[in-house]
Amino acid sequence: MTRRIVAVTAGLSQPSSTRLLTDQLTAAVTAQVSARGEAATVEVIEVRELATDLAHLMTTGMASARLDAARELVSSADGLVLVTPVFSASYSGLFKMFVDALSPDALTGMPVIVAATAGTPRHSLVLDFAMRPLLTYLRAVVMPTGVFAATEDFGGGEAGSGLASRVRRAASELAALVVAESGAVAGFAEDEQDREPVRPDRSSGVGLGSVTPFEQLLAGHRG
C-alpha cells in the first residue's frame, strides 16, 4: 500500500533553510516507510506561493481553487510534516494563516511532525510552546520528537550530526504510525470487509455549500 505524506513548508525565501529541513524530513520519512515494507509518496505545499490566496480568504471568506486544492491535500494525507521559520519567538504569520485556513476537522487523528528553523538555538522552545499546542488543539497526533534546526545545524560537524539524528527519530515515529494502523488501534477500528483501518473522520472544509454573507445575516437586526 502506498502512503501519502504531505509536507507544508512556510519558508519565505528560495532557497531557504526551512525548505532544506523539509526535504531532509520527507526523505527520512520515505526511507522509514520503505523500511517497513510499504511505499510512500511525498507532496510539498510551499505556503509562500499561496500568500495572496490566503490574504484573500482572510479578508473576503472566499477561497481560491488553488487554496482549496491544498486544503484537500492536507486533509487526505496519511501523515504530515509541518515546518515553519521562527519570527518573534513563534511560528510565522504565513504559517498561521495557512493553519487558520484549514477546516477545524482537517487534522483529526493526523500523525504530524512539527519542525522549525531559526538563526539561533534560543528559539528551540517554539516547538513545545507554540506549534505543539496549536496542533493538539486541532486534534492532531503530534510526534514526540520535534525537529528544530538553527543556522549552525546545517554546517556539518557535531551540530549537523545531532540534527540528522533528530530527523531520523522523528521520521521513524511518523512512519510507525502511518504504516501500522494509520492512527487506529489494532483490532478496534477496522472495516470488516477489507480489514483496512478506519480513518479518523476528517473534513477539508471544501465544497460544503455557499456561505451567507454577514451583512445578509444582520439585515433584519435593529440593535
Side-chain angles (χ1 to χ4, degrees), residues 175-190:
L177 271 188
V178 167
V179 171
E181 257 75 45
S182 295
V185 177
F188 287 90
E190 293 183 342

PDB file of all heavy atoms in Angstrom, residues 175-190:
ATOM      1  N   ALA A 175       6.547   7.221  10.644  1.00  0.00           N
ATOM      2  CA  ALA A 175       6.369   6.035   9.805  1.00  0.00           C
ATOM      3  C   ALA A 175       5.701   4.899  10.577  1.00  0.00           C
ATOM      4  O   ALA A 175       4.867   4.167  10.030  1.00  0.00           O
ATOM      5  CB  ALA A 175       7.724   5.570   9.262  1.00  0.00           C
ATOM      6  N   ALA A 176       6.039   4.759  11.843  1.00  0.00           N
ATOM      7  CA  ALA A 176       5.441   3.695  12.652  1.00  0.00           C
ATOM      8  C   ALA A 176       3.927   3.859  12.742  1.00  0.00           C
ATOM      9  O   ALA A 176       3.176   2.879  12.650  1.00  0.00           O
ATOM     10  CB  ALA A 176       6.056   3.685  14.047  1.00  0.00           C
ATOM     11  N   LEU A 177       3.458   5.089  12.906  1.00  0.00           N
ATOM     12  CA  LEU A 177       2.015   5.323  12.966  1.00  0.00           C
ATOM     13  C   LEU A 177       1.355   5.195  11.599  1.00  0.00           C
ATOM     14  O   LEU A 177       0.303   4.583  11.448  1.00  0.00           O
ATOM     15  CB  LEU A 177       1.735   6.717  13.524  1.00  0.00           C
ATOM     16  CG  LEU A 177       1.592   6.861  15.033  1.00  0.00           C
ATOM     17  CD1 LEU A 177       1.134   8.270  15.385  1.00  0.00           C
ATOM     18  CD2 LEU A 177       0.614   5.846  15.596  1.00  0.00           C
ATOM     19  N   VAL A 178       1.990   5.780  10.598  1.00  0.00           N
ATOM     20  CA  VAL A 178       1.407   5.780   9.255  1.00  0.00           C
ATOM     21  C   VAL A 178       1.264   4.365   8.707  1.00  0.00           C
ATOM     22  O   VAL A 178       0.254   4.005   8.107  1.00  0.00           O
ATOM     23  CB  VAL A 178       2.258   6.647   8.304  1.00  0.00           C
ATOM     24  CG1 VAL A 178       1.883   6.411   6.855  1.00  0.00           C
ATOM     25  CG2 VAL A 178       2.098   8.125   8.657  1.00  0.00           C
ATOM     26  N   VAL A 179       2.272   3.540   8.912  1.00  0.00           N
ATOM     27  CA  VAL A 179       2.268   2.189   8.349  1.00  0.00           C
ATOM     28  C   VAL A 179       1.448   1.225   9.189  1.00  0.00           C
ATOM     29  O   VAL A 179       0.652   0.451   8.669  1.00  0.00           O
ATOM     30  CB  VAL A 179       3.714   1.660   8.200  1.00  0.00           C
ATOM     31  CG1 VAL A 179       3.705   0.184   7.838  1.00  0.00           C
ATOM     32  CG2 VAL A 179       4.465   2.466   7.160  1.00  0.00           C
ATOM     33  N   ALA A 180       1.609   1.280  10.492  1.00  0.00           N
ATOM     34  CA  ALA A 180       0.993   0.269  11.347  1.00  0.00           C
ATOM     35  C   ALA A 180      -0.522   0.301  11.312  1.00  0.00           C
ATOM     36  O   ALA A 180      -1.180  -0.635  10.876  1.00  0.00           O
ATOM     37  CB  ALA A 180       1.497   0.423  12.779  1.00  0.00           C
ATOM     38  N   GLU A 181      -1.098   1.400  11.772  1.00  0.00           N
ATOM     39  CA  GLU A 181      -2.547   1.461  11.867  1.00  0.00           C
ATOM     40  C   GLU A 181      -3.137   2.741  11.308  1.00  0.00           C
ATOM     41  O   GLU A 181      -4.337   2.939  11.417  1.00  0.00           O
ATOM     42  CB  GLU A 181      -2.985   1.343  13.338  1.00  0.00           C
ATOM     43  CG  GLU A 181      -3.529  -0.018  13.716  1.00  0.00           C
ATOM     44  CD  GLU A 181      -2.463  -1.075  13.859  1.00  0.00           C
ATOM     45  OE1 GLU A 181      -1.440  -0.794  14.482  1.00  0.00           O
ATOM     46  OE2 GLU A 181      -2.671  -2.184  13.336  1.00  0.00           O
ATOM     47  N   SER A 182      -2.313   3.621  10.763  1.00  0.00           N
ATOM     48  CA  SER A 182      -2.780   4.943  10.322  1.00  0.00           C
ATOM     49  C   SER A 182      -3.513   5.656  11.454  1.00  0.00           C
ATOM     50  O   SER A 182      -4.510   6.334  11.257  1.00  0.00           O
ATOM     51  CB  SER A 182      -3.694   4.838   9.104  1.00  0.00           C
ATOM     52  OG  SER A 182      -3.006   4.363   7.987  1.00  0.00           O
ATOM     53  N   GLY A 183      -3.018   5.457  12.689  1.00  0.00           N
ATOM     54  CA  GLY A 183      -3.614   6.132  13.833  1.00  0.00           C
ATOM     55  C   GLY A 183      -4.667   5.330  14.558  1.00  0.00           C
ATOM     56  O   GLY A 183      -5.116   5.707  15.624  1.00  0.00           O
ATOM     57  N   ALA A 184      -5.101   4.194  14.013  1.00  0.00           N
ATOM     58  CA  ALA A 184      -6.137   3.401  14.667  1.00  0.00           C
ATOM     59  C   ALA A 184      -5.506   2.414  15.644  1.00  0.00           C
ATOM     60  O   ALA A 184      -4.326   2.120  15.582  1.00  0.00           O
ATOM     61  CB  ALA A 184      -6.953   2.637  13.623  1.00  0.00           C
ATOM     62  N   VAL A 185      -6.314   1.891  16.548  1.00  0.00           N
ATOM     63  CA  VAL A 185      -5.848   0.883  17.490  1.00  0.00           C
ATOM     64  C   VAL A 185      -6.173  -0.483  16.922  1.00  0.00           C
ATOM     65  O   VAL A 185      -7.314  -0.765  16.553  1.00  0.00           O
ATOM     66  CB  VAL A 185      -6.542   1.062  18.860  1.00  0.00           C
ATOM     67  CG1 VAL A 185      -6.098  -0.031  19.820  1.00  0.00           C
ATOM     68  CG2 VAL A 185      -6.219   2.435  19.421  1.00  0.00           C
ATOM     69  N   ALA A 186      -5.176  -1.341  16.817  1.00  0.00           N
ATOM     70  CA  ALA A 186      -5.356  -2.649  16.185  1.00  0.00           C
ATOM     71  C   ALA A 186      -6.495  -3.418  16.838  1.00  0.00           C
ATOM     72  O   ALA A 186      -6.591  -3.512  18.054  1.00  0.00           O
ATOM     73  CB  ALA A 186      -4.053  -3.449  16.303  1.00  0.00           C
ATOM     74  N   GLY A 187      -7.384  -3.961  15.982  1.00  0.00           N
ATOM     75  CA  GLY A 187      -8.460  -4.802  16.471  1.00  0.00           C
ATOM     76  C   GLY A 187      -9.721  -4.072  16.863  1.00  0.00           C
ATOM     77  O   GLY A 187     -10.736  -4.696  17.152  1.00  0.00           O
ATOM     78  N   PHE A 188      -9.676  -2.718  16.884  1.00  0.00           N
ATOM     79  CA  PHE A 188     -10.843  -1.966  17.337  1.00  0.00           C
ATOM     80  C   PHE A 188     -11.488  -1.136  16.234  1.00  0.00           C
ATOM     81  O   PHE A 188     -12.694  -0.959  16.237  1.00  0.00           O
ATOM     82  CB  PHE A 188     -10.458  -1.033  18.494  1.00  0.00           C
ATOM     83  CG  PHE A 188     -10.206  -1.770  19.769  1.00  0.00           C
ATOM     84  CD1 PHE A 188      -8.931  -2.228  20.066  1.00  0.00           C
ATOM     85  CD2 PHE A 188     -11.232  -2.028  20.655  1.00  0.00           C
ATOM     86  CE1 PHE A 188      -8.694  -2.923  21.243  1.00  0.00           C
ATOM     87  CE2 PHE A 188     -11.005  -2.715  21.833  1.00  0.00           C
ATOM     88  CZ  PHE A 188      -9.727  -3.169  22.124  1.00  0.00           C
ATOM     89  N   ALA A 189     -10.695  -0.597  15.301  1.00  0.00           N
ATOM     90  CA  ALA A 189     -11.249   0.313  14.291  1.00  0.00           C
ATOM     91  C   ALA A 189     -10.985  -0.220  12.899  1.00  0.00           C
ATOM     92  O   ALA A 189     -10.285   0.359  12.108  1.00  0.00           O
ATOM     93  CB  ALA A 189     -10.661   1.710  14.450  1.00  0.00           C
ATOM     94  N   GLU A 190     -11.535  -1.386  12.603  1.00  0.00           N
ATOM     95  CA  GLU A 190     -11.305  -1.992  11.306  1.00  0.00           C
ATOM     96  C   GLU A 190     -12.612  -2.184  10.557  1.00  0.00           C
ATOM     97  O   GLU A 190     -13.660  -2.452  11.149  1.00  0.00           O
ATOM     98  CB  GLU A 190     -10.618  -3.349  11.460  1.00  0.00           C
ATOM     99  CG  GLU A 190      -9.188  -3.246  12.003  1.00  0.00           C
ATOM    100  CD  GLU A 190      -8.539  -4.618  12.062  1.00  0.00           C
ATOM    101  OE1 GLU A 190      -9.299  -5.616  12.012  1.00  0.00           O
ATOM    102  OE2 GLU A 190      -7.317  -4.693  12.155  1.00  0.00           O
TER     103      GLU A 190
END
